[in-house]
Amino acid sequence: MSVTLTDQDKTTLRTAAYGAVTLLSAAGAAGSPHKIATAGSIALASATGLVGHVLAAKTKDINLYGKSVAELADHVLPALTAAMSLLKKQDPAEADNFRNTVLVAIEAAARTHQGEPSPTMADMIRKITEALDAA
């Protein structure tokens, strides 16, 4: 199946994926947020397929600004749902690829902590997963 993504669609995918890692990094701020962000970003950079090509593009179109985690979440969580919706319409396999890519990235990011993720990180992982599954 051929997938046609507009520039805005690609921005949504990048914002959603990198935003999920950013949210997890903010939730783990008591630990080592830079290690969380690094592990998650490396996982995203390892993506394959159409999703991998979109996430690997060197652009400045990702808007991950906000004065609080709440503002960031207000932008990122709907982007995750929107990304899943647009991919499901065009190619369900790429939607699965995107979902798996984001989940691997947040799992990689969460593993930077010793033991289990903190309750704050676990709650953020739940919110990210719910946003992915809301489409």
Side-chain angles (χ1 to χ4, degrees):
M1 182 178 285
S2 176
V3 179
T4 305
L5 297 176
T6 66
D7 288 342
Q8 182 58 47
D9 293 341
K10 292 174 186 176
T11 297
T12 300
L13 265 66
R14 285 188 283 269
T15 298
Y18 285 100
V21 171
T22 303
L23 282 174
L24 201 58
S25 180
S32 185
H34 66 280
K35 287 183 182 179
I36 294 168
T38 300
S41 296
I42 289 169
L44 292 177
S46 300
T48 59
L50 173 70
V51 169
H53 289 285
V54 171
L55 296 180
K58 304 293 183 213
T59 66
K60 295 183 181 191
D61 62 354
I62 303 171
N63 178 3
L64 298 177
Y65 304 104
K67 294 181 181 180
S68 67
V69 176
E71 282 184 23
L72 182 60
D74 288 345
H75 186 66
V76 172
L77 296 176
L80 285 162
T81 303
M84 286 297 296
S85 292
L86 71 92
L87 288 172
K88 278 184 179 181
K89 287 179 189 173
Q90 293 196 39
D91 188 345
E94 277 303 322
D96 288 343
N97 184 21
F98 179 79
R99 183 181 187 282
N100 290 336
T101 296
V102 172
L103 292 177
V104 166
I106 61 175
E107 183 179 329
R111 286 185 181 219
T112 62
H113 282 272
Q114 300 298 330
E116 299 213 6
S118 69
T120 308
M121 288 183 71
D123 186 51
M124 188 60 72
I125 291 168
R126 180 191 56 78
K127 290 174 184 177
I128 292 166
T129 303
E130 285 177 356
L132 288 167
D133 293 342

